[in-house]
Amino acid sequence: MKDQHGDPIEGRDIGKNLSRRSFVKIGVLAGAGLTLGVSYRVIKGPEAPPTDAVFSPSAFLRIDVDGSITVMVAKSEMGQGVATALPQLVAEELHVPLSQVSFAFAPAHPAYGTAMGGMQLTGGSTSIRDSWFPLCEAGAKARWMLREAAAQRWGLAPDQVQMNEGKALHPDGSKLTYAQLASAAALLDIPKDVPLKGPSEFRVIGTPAPRLDVPAKTTGEAIFGMDAGPSNTRVAVVARSPVFGGVLRAFDSTGALEVQGVDEVVELESGIAVVADGYVAAKEGRDLLTIEWADGEWSTLDDTEISDLLKEAADEDGATVRKEGDIDSVLTSDREQIRAAYTLPYLAHATMEPMNCTAWVRNGQCTVWAPTQFQNAPGLVGGGARQVAAKAAGVSADNTVVHTTFLGGGFGRRAEQDFVREAAELAGKVDGPVKVIWTREDDMQHDFYRPASYHDFSAVLGVDGMPEAWCHRIASQSILQRMVPSWVPDFATNWAGTSDPTSTEGAQDQPYHIPNVRVTYSKVDLPVPVGFWRSVGHTQNAFVVESFIDELADLAGQDPYEYRRELLSEHPRHRAVLDTVAEASEWASPVPGGRARGIAVAESFGSFVAEVAEISIQDGQLHVHKVWCAIDCGMVVNPAIVRAQMESGIVYGLTAALYGRINIQGGRVVQSNFHDYQMLRMRDAPDIEVILLPSQEAPGGVGEPGTPPIAPAVTNAVFALTGQRIRELPIQIV
Amino acid sequence: MVKFTLNGEPQELNVPSANPLLWVLRESLELTGTKFGCGIGQCGACMVLVNGQPTRSCQMPISAAEGSEVITIEGLSEKGAHSVQEAWVEEQVPQCGYCQSGQIVSAVALLAANPNPTDEDIDGAMSSNICRCGTYPAIRRAIHRAAGIQRQLASTDDGARGEE
């Protein structure tokens, strides 16, 4: 027997062989249905992991003997809804209602490397964009094979068989369930190309289907990293250098070992682990360690030094990341220049679930249970959880298994694998499974922070009040330099001439029509660990761009909405969300007494979002009463999830705008817990109204794009109310 | 030895008396629905009911639970059938879900004390719980919905009693 490509298929375990083999061929799509304008990397090479399913024509889908349909979710569920939206894609093409589908988190495996460069990673709001084709195709191929099986059983031509609601329908009205067809379907050749549905045929995509993970998240049954692992798992709490770059000189564990329940104290690359029978003893033991740290060269670093370094760097010539027109002659002319400088602080992620990871090393095998955003990256520097754990535990990646749990928030923090590395290293040094739990203080003080940044603007207005020149100089640390050095040009030269798109996104591509533009980036080297924080460079650049354009509108004596609109004549999607949010908020009509509105718009991660905030200030206290949000994220898989993500992104960004600041003093982080790193709470949460623009454009992201516009919408409202221009976050009302 | 009632079942435990109720629940009793968030009584992820009162279990030494009735998220109902849990599902509140056990317990306590809370009442009672996913608008809707469900149940009960 041969499959349709002539490869021999051997043995009785044909379903398994087919499922492995078939994955190689995914990626060549018959274009009868939908054509998406997204870049989809052709998956080739990796075989699907072994399966015991009756029918599994793809690594993403299994149908078992009882007819149960399971979608393997290869993205991390951290609240953004992938455990529902990805199964919707499969259900659509499989012709089953979502209620018949369950999900499981995929293991770390190359077959699931749909993210950039073959990584199994959840980040950059890419899940839908990465998964649309592979998952729709997985569903379509399975349905095609099930129909073929039914046709053979009935002696019909395949097109005489209708597939509906998880059943094959004979013209005479008789039916066969997918469960009845699965084993026959597994014997069939996997089709090379199958047509996918067009948007007009969608029945599951585009519907506000209830989330598959919600029931377990209302009963306490959902398993997060904190809850995972074997029942005999011990707990460790780790002491890490409080000063960036500090190294361990000596320690005394006598006190720690006297704590009832403490078993052992283990030195790790990152610090000292106290292992105990439970968290309380482990933490008490950790706190009783006597440690001598060598603080190193950064022990006097503080906010003033950092802010001076950033400012100096912005004054120097950075790398030019955008240049249009002849900005030098406009700026050196004797025409009036408008200048403004903006400052943004470091921010912690503060996921609700502190960092943690459980690991068990035995017989050359490493198993980890991790709430991670990054499972697998063979070949990449550092790698994903699988590579990181393998290296730390001293076993091969092939002998390392990663179980992804639910994530109690991610926001980019869990794209780092430091917490996995530590647990795996410890597990390699002790007997039995061990869970490293970070205290909230550990989590806050050993984060990978949103970089602090400094922004220097100069602009010249034309006689019509419209900007004729726009110069934006950015200084900040580079995230990619550490994460993916090869993505930062001239990495080795280490200073001017380098650039990092995650520092300049939202600035180098700001959409306003201005004839003379220059955007520069100066990379600053500091020891503060920096990382991806929900919407990354857009968190800083949307704030400064949308604030400075608001300044220009004011100087031009024009309405900030109309001013933007005029400058966006070539950007219809920006304009559409602006118009929508202006209409919804009744922008043109008077604001209730004592209140004011501000507006902002930003494109990020393939989606366009405009927001209006309505605020008041009473006794020096800023109150955000209402936020209107319009989003065009292209084709929508689940509108309820999109709305929830907009609310989520707004609250996340508002929290940072109102309170967020990590201070550095003595080379260490000052803040430690929610008492000094404040969170937005129910009483301060605004009403939020979200409007989804109907769109047939390729899908964009939704996890992050709600965040960028909220800070400038609020600060622009502050200006409208009081005349105070907020040029530094968090907001301080004077 | 500490004795208390947990989700209706009597418990007798021999654990260090200073250990917080949170970790006794999670580690000794393997009820992991109650979450660790901050350890200093700031976030409410560890909220449980002690004698009907919303209580931060990370701040309560197990010795203080002696003789009390403790209810956790697992003990609110069989299979998520509590009106607040139903409302949470109907309003699709959870995102990451980590804080939601605590949110639900706080909401149960609020509605027990105040069956018809206003938005201001909700602000007052629910500001003890942090959610980093920003589910606050959904929680507000769900609490109003749960109040409606409870009113309906109460009127059905009254009606049923009236017919007896």
Side-chain angles (χ1 to χ4, degrees):
Chain A
M1 184 178 172
K2 291 183 174 184
D3 72 10
Q4 67 183 66
H5 301 275
D7 298 330
I9 296 173
E10 296 151 7
R12 287 305 307 155
D13 200 7
I14 281 170
K16 193 179 287 184
N17 282 331
L18 271 175
S19 71
R20 289 178 186 179
R21 215 175 280 278
S22 63
F23 203 84
V24 179
K25 294 152 199 157
I26 288 190
V28 186
L29 190 87
L34 169 69
T35 304
L36 295 170
V38 295
S39 69
Y40 166 53
R41 200 185 59 82
V42 173
I43 300 165
K44 56 180 185 291
E47 295 183 345
T51 175
D52 55 3
V54 170
F55 179 45
S56 180
S58 146
F60 293 102
L61 170 64
R62 57 180 289 155
I63 298 178
D64 282 281
V65 66
D66 60 356
S68 62
I69 300 166
T70 306
V71 172
M72 303 304 288
V73 171
K75 297 291 182 178
S76 304
E77 178 57 83
M78 45 192 172
Q80 83 283 37
V82 286
T84 306
L86 301 191
Q88 279 183 266
L89 298 172
V90 178
E92 179 69 65
E93 290 290 350
L94 195 55
H95 293 196
V96 293
L98 187 66
S99 56
Q100 285 184 22
V101 176
S102 59
F103 71 91
F105 294 123
H109 191 279
Y112 301 108
T114 55
M116 42 207 147
M119 295 187 281
Q120 188 174 342
L121 165 72
T122 308
S125 298
T126 56
S127 292
I128 292 296
R129 288 176 285 174
D130 283 350
S131 308
W132 189 295
F133 272 160
L135 293 190
C136 283
E137 192 165 57
K141 287 189 171 179
R143 188 233 316 147
W144 190 95
M145 294 165 78
L146 291 160
R147 188 181 67 161
E148 192 76 17
Q152 288 183 9
R153 180 86 57 92
W154 285 327
L156 297 171
D159 61 6
Q160 293 176 282
V161 178
Q162 296 290 312
M163 304 296 278
N164 194 28
E165 303 280 307
K167 295 184 187 69
L169 308 178
H170 192 288
D172 71 6
S174 53
K175 296 173 182 173
L176 286 168
T177 64
Y178 285 5
Q180 291 168 315
L181 293 167
S183 52
L187 299 174
L188 298 172
D189 296 343
I190 292 179
K192 192 173 173 189
D193 305 320
V194 285
L196 301 183
K197 289 181 178 179
S200 64
E201 301 168 276
F202 289 163
R203 298 175 68 178
V204 183
I205 292 174
T207 63
R211 288 176 63 129
L212 300 180
D213 57 347
V214 154
K217 288 178 175 178
T218 59
T219 59
E221 290 167 307
I223 299 297
F224 296 86
M226 284 282 186
D227 315 322
S231 60
N232 60 334
T233 300
R234 293 185 295 162
V235 174
V237 176
V238 176
R240 305 171 188 85
S241 168
V243 173
F244 301 121
V247 293
L248 182 64
R249 190 172 279 157
F251 69 97
D252 179 357
S253 58
T254 312
L257 289 166
E258 283 170 2
V259 175
Q260 187 192 341
V262 169
D263 298 330
E264 52 190 316
V265 174
V266 181
E267 190 177 333
L268 301 174
E269 200 180 308
S270 61
I272 306 151
V274 175
V275 184
D277 60 1
Y279 172 81
V280 177
K283 179 175 183 297
E284 193 183 338
R286 192 275 304 264
D287 294 346
L288 286 170
L289 289 170
T290 308
I291 309 170
E292 198 185 326
W293 299 103
D295 285 341
E297 58 179 314
W298 295 104
S299 61
T300 60
L301 183 72
D302 63 11
D303 291 330
T304 310
E305 186 182 350
I306 291 167
S307 115
D308 289 348
L309 281 170
L310 290 170
K311 193 168 181 307
E312 280 167 27
D315 286 345
E316 291 173 21
D317 287 332
T320 298
V321 295
R322 175 170 174 183
K323 188 171 188 302
E324 277 151 34
D326 183 5
I327 190 150
D328 290 322
S329 52
V330 185
L331 289 181
T332 52
S333 67
D334 55 3
R335 296 171 59 189
E336 187 193 356
Q337 273 190 39
I338 299 145
R339 299 290 302 269
Y342 288 80
T343 310
L344 289 98
Y346 292 108
L347 295 172
H349 295 82
T351 59
M352 274 315 295
E353 179 189 22
M355 294 303 109
N356 67 87
C357 180
T358 303
W360 191 1
V361 178
R362 63 200 189 288
N363 308 326
Q365 307 256 340
C366 176
T367 308
V368 301
W369 293 261
T372 177
Q373 289 179 240
F374 189 9
Q375 287 80 10
N376 203 46
L380 190 85
V381 180
R386 192 183 198 191
Q387 291 74 32
V388 164
K391 190 175 173 202
V395 305
S396 74
D398 287 343
N399 285 326
T400 300
V401 174
V402 177
H403 298 289
T404 304
T405 63
F406 280 113
L407 282 59
F411 315 123
R413 173 62 181 90
R414 290 184 156 105
E416 306 286 346
Q417 300 309 302
D418 55 325
F419 60 99
V420 174
R421 178 181 297 110
E422 206 171 54
E425 182 191 352
L426 178 59
K429 293 179 173 177
V430 301
D431 290 329
V434 63
K435 184 194 304 283
V436 176
I437 296 180
W438 296 43
T439 65
R440 173 59 60 190
E441 291 78 9
D442 295 343
D443 186 277
M444 185 115 3
Q445 301 195 325
H446 299 276
D447 198 347
F448 291 82
Y449 304 89
R450 193 284 302 273
S453 60
Y454 182 85
H455 303 257
D456 181 277
F457 283 97
S458 334
V460 172
L461 298 186
V463 285
D464 59 355
M466 294 326 224
E468 203 174 306
W470 169 284
C471 179
H472 178 185
R473 303 161 76 101
I474 303 168
S476 74
Q477 287 173 256
S478 162
I479 300 170
L480 288 182
Q481 176 177 313
R482 176 182 51 83
M483 289 288 286
V484 196
S486 60
W487 290 4
V488 180
D490 303 323
F491 169 57
T493 64
N494 210 28
W495 192 252
T498 67
S499 61
D500 178 343
T502 67
S503 298
T504 56
E505 58 188 2
Q508 69 181 42
D509 50 348
Q510 67 83 1
Y512 296 110
H513 178 75
I514 302 168
N516 305 288
V517 177
R518 181 163 62 217
V519 181
T520 68
Y521 174 63
S522 300
K523 183 173 69 64
V524 178
D525 290 326
L526 284 164
V528 183
V530 292
F532 303 113
W533 188 97
R534 196 175 195 170
S535 78
V536 197
H538 294 282
T539 63
Q540 60 204 31
N541 291 321
F543 170 63
V544 299
V545 168
E546 285 300 291
S547 293
F548 193 58
I549 202 78
D550 218 71
E551 296 202 40
L552 300 186
D554 177 62
L555 289 167
Q558 297 193 26
D559 176 86
Y561 156 59
E562 296 290 351
Y563 193 73
R564 285 175 172 81
R565 198 176 187 285
E566 178 71 23
L567 292 168
L568 291 169
S569 57
E570 291 163 24
H571 293 273
R573 296 179 78 186
H574 285 85
R575 254 198 180 181
V577 289
L578 261 185
D579 290 347
T580 302
V581 83
E583 191 185 339
S585 63
E586 298 180 36
W587 179 263
S589 59
V591 187
R595 297 189 180 188
R597 296 187 193 122
I599 194 166
V601 61
E603 175 193 1
S604 62
F605 309 98
S607 294
F608 300 77
V609 179
E611 290 166 12
V612 167
E614 185 171 299
I615 63 127
S616 70
I617 296 171
Q618 284 139 18
D619 303 325
Q621 283 290 310
L622 172 61
H623 299 277
V624 181
H625 300 280
K626 170 110 193 209
V627 175
W628 293 264
C629 168
I631 175 169
D632 168 6
C633 59
M635 278 190 298
V636 170
V637 177
N638 186 318
I641 290 176
V642 176
R643 287 173 197 283
Q645 282 310 293
M646 291 305 105
E647 293 181 350
S648 180
I650 287 165
V651 169
Y652 200 78
L654 186 56
T655 303
L658 295 176
Y659 317 119
R661 174 193 287 281
I662 286 292
N663 294 104
I664 309 294
Q665 203 171 12
R668 65 189 78 194
V669 169
V670 172
Q671 285 75 15
S672 62
N673 204 318
F674 294 132
H675 66 289
D676 57 5
Y677 193 74
Q678 204 182 330
M679 296 292 128
L680 193 86
R681 293 173 184 267
M682 176 67 89
R683 61 174 167 259
D684 301 311
D687 288 339
I688 300 171
E689 184 179 326
V690 179
I691 303 122
L692 274 61
L693 273 71
S695 176
Q696 296 297 312
E697 299 283 344
V702 299
E704 295 169 277
T707 299
I710 187 60
V714 169
T715 56
N716 292 338
V718 170
F719 177 78
L721 187 66
T722 67
Q724 184 194 352
R725 179 61 66 184
I726 305 289
R727 295 198 184 93
E728 180 173 0
L729 293 181
I731 298 167
Q732 282 189 300
I733 302 295
V734 292
Chain B
M1 186 71 75
V2 58
K3 294 184 190 180
F4 62 104
T5 307
L6 175 62
N7 298 333
E9 299 287 326
Q11 299 285 339
E12 274 190 41
L13 289 173
N14 195 3
V15 291
S17 61
N19 277 16
L21 173 61
L22 168 67
W23 294 102
V24 175
L25 292 171
R26 288 186 53 80
E27 296 182 339
S28 308
L29 299 164
E30 298 189 354
L31 287 181
T32 56
T34 305
K35 301 303 188 201
F36 164 60
C38 69
I40 61 166
Q42 284 276 324
C43 77
C46 66
M47 204 71 83
V48 298
L49 298 176
V50 178
N51 299 328
Q53 294 303 307
T55 303
R56 299 171 193 276
S57 61
C58 78
Q59 295 299 295
M60 185 180 203
I62 189 64
S63 56
E66 177 70 38
S68 62
E69 246 181 74
V70 176
I71 294 180
T72 69
I73 185 74
E74 293 91 347
L76 285 182
S77 68
E78 286 288 315
K79 298 180 177 175
H82 191 283
S83 53
V84 171
Q85 290 169 309
E86 282 179 10
W88 244 245
V89 172
E90 287 169 13
E91 289 293 341
Q92 293 280 292
V93 174
Q95 291 187 24
C96 92
Y98 193 78
C99 73
Q100 296 296 342
S101 296
Q103 302 278 5
I104 289 168
V105 168
S106 287
V108 167
L110 164 63
L111 289 168
N114 179 356
N116 293 299
T118 62
D119 280 347
E120 289 68 33
D121 297 334
I122 292 173
D123 284 350
M126 299 304 293
S127 288
S128 50
N129 291 72
I130 292 171
C131 171
R132 281 295 272 157
C133 298
T135 63
Y136 300 124
I139 289 172
R140 189 186 297 283
R141 293 191 292 268
I143 289 174
H144 286 306
R145 183 186 279 265
I149 296 171
Q150 292 185 359
R151 276 196 301 273
Q152 212 169 9
L153 288 173
S155 67
T156 314
D157 285 353
D158 290 349
R161 258 182 245 118
E163 285 162 20
E164 275 167 15

